[in-house]
């Protein structure tokens, strides 16, 4: 599921929950394309992502490429961290990732 809303501070929030896989990405892409303007500051909350595959990763990468530094990903779920680690893409996104139970951050 993808919930979109604008926060009080003017930042657009995209909250992903459940699966972020090839089976859902097309629907999420349609939701994003239906927005009048995909610009400005964005916060993507990934805490609820239970499963992610390369299609989901490609969607996140496309958002990063389109929005650049205006995109911040927060609350990475273990599934997201595992995939970012597998492909060594944490530096591509540049967001701080708190590793569960370790109290340290990677950038």
């Amino acid at each position: 599921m993808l919930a979109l809303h604008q926060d009080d501070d003017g930042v657009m929030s995209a909250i992903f929950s459940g699966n972020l896989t090839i089976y859902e990405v097309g629907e999420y892409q349609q939701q994003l394309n239906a927005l009048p303007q995909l610009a400005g500051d964005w916060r993507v909350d990934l805490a609820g992502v239970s499963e992610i595959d390369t299609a989901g990763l490609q969607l996140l990468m496309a958002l990063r490429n389109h929005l650049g530094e205006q995109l911040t990903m927060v609350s990475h779920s273990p599934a997201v961290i595992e995939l970012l680690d597998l492909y060594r893409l944490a530096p591509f996104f540049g967001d701080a990732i708190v590793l569960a139970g370790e109290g340290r951050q990677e950038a």
Side-chain angles (χ1 to χ4, degrees), residues 16-61:
F16 288 97
S17 60
N19 294 337
L20 184 51
T21 67
I22 192 169
Y23 302 107
E24 295 81 26
V25 166
E27 177 186 334
Y28 299 159
Q29 187 65 48
Q30 287 179 350
Q31 282 182 264
L32 292 167
N33 287 339
L35 295 173
Q37 183 178 4
L38 187 58
D41 291 331
W42 276 75
R43 184 178 304 118
V44 176
D45 187 327
L46 300 166
V49 176
S50 55
E51 183 179 349
I52 183 171
D53 65 7
T54 54
L57 184 58
Q58 288 173 347
L59 177 64
L60 296 177
M61 292 176 76

Side-chain angles (χ1 to χ4, degrees), residues 2-8 10-15 35 41-43:
L2 171 59
L4 299 168
H5 70 277
Q6 190 165 16
D7 296 337
D8 292 338
V11 175
M12 283 296 296
S13 284
I15 302 168
L35 295 173
D41 291 331
W42 276 75
R43 184 178 304 118

Side-chain angles (χ1 to χ4, degrees), residues 50-87:
S50 55
E51 183 179 349
I52 183 171
D53 65 7
T54 54
L57 184 58
Q58 288 173 347
L59 177 64
L60 296 177
M61 292 176 76
L63 283 171
R64 170 59 83 191
N65 284 334
H66 183 78
L67 295 167
E69 295 296 316
Q70 293 176 302
L71 174 71
T72 303
M73 296 190 326
V74 298
S75 303
H76 302 74
S77 72
V80 172
I81 293 171
E82 182 179 345
L83 195 64
L84 291 177
D85 186 49
L86 177 67
Y87 289 104

